[in-house]
Amino acid sequence: MPTSAALSQEDLVLAIYCALDDALRKAGIVSKRGKLIPRPGPAPDVDDREILCLAILQEIAGFESDHEYHLWLERDPTIRAFFPRRLSRPNFADRRAILAPLMELLCDAFCEIAGENDAPFLSS
């Protein structure tokens, strides 16, 4: 993943997670048992907020291939430290798809927070 000289990878991940938390709060979305969108079943092993953070990171880092992104996630020590519980590539893609409608709503919240006209990132 290309990194900026001004922002370390650790700082980028933390900034994404904090911005995500702010956007969720602005949009009035509350996590219930690890789920941001109500759905049946037990609490997930990996919280929806973690999936969204990783999905945003994928967009920002420019990974177009889910396979390459998943390989990078598995190899990167910073990601392994921040996200010790990770899903398989197909399960991550499924959860990201479930959360895709929420991403559009969050893009609006990010724009409101930042005072921007354009979303800082868009989901694929």
Side-chain angles (χ1 to χ4, degrees), residues 18-110:
C18 290
L20 176 60
D21 190 52
D22 290 345
L24 288 166
R25 192 174 314 113
K26 180 80 172 169
I29 299 166
V30 178
S31 177
K32 293 182 180 140
R33 296 183 51 216
K35 298 177 184 181
L36 294 170
I37 295 176
R39 54 192 188 274
D45 288 337
V46 179
D47 192 290
D48 283 351
R49 292 170 292 194
E50 294 177 63
I51 300 300
L52 285 178
C53 185
L54 289 171
I56 292 166
L57 182 61
Q58 181 178 6
E59 291 293 321
I60 289 173
F63 281 95
E64 293 184 20
S65 163
D66 284 349
H67 178 71
E68 289 299 319
Y69 184 58
H70 188 262
L71 290 175
W72 178 77
L73 291 175
E74 292 300 314
R75 290 188 307 247
D76 189 90
T78 300
I79 297 302
R80 288 194 331 257
F82 277 123
F83 302 96
R85 297 171 299 160
R86 289 173 307 283
L87 299 177
S88 67
R89 185 181 56 79
N91 288 345
F92 174 76
D94 289 346
R95 286 277 291 286
R96 188 181 56 206
I98 289 169
L99 297 168
L102 183 58
M103 283 300 294
E104 192 170 322
L105 178 64
L106 291 178
C107 283
D108 293 341
F110 279 116

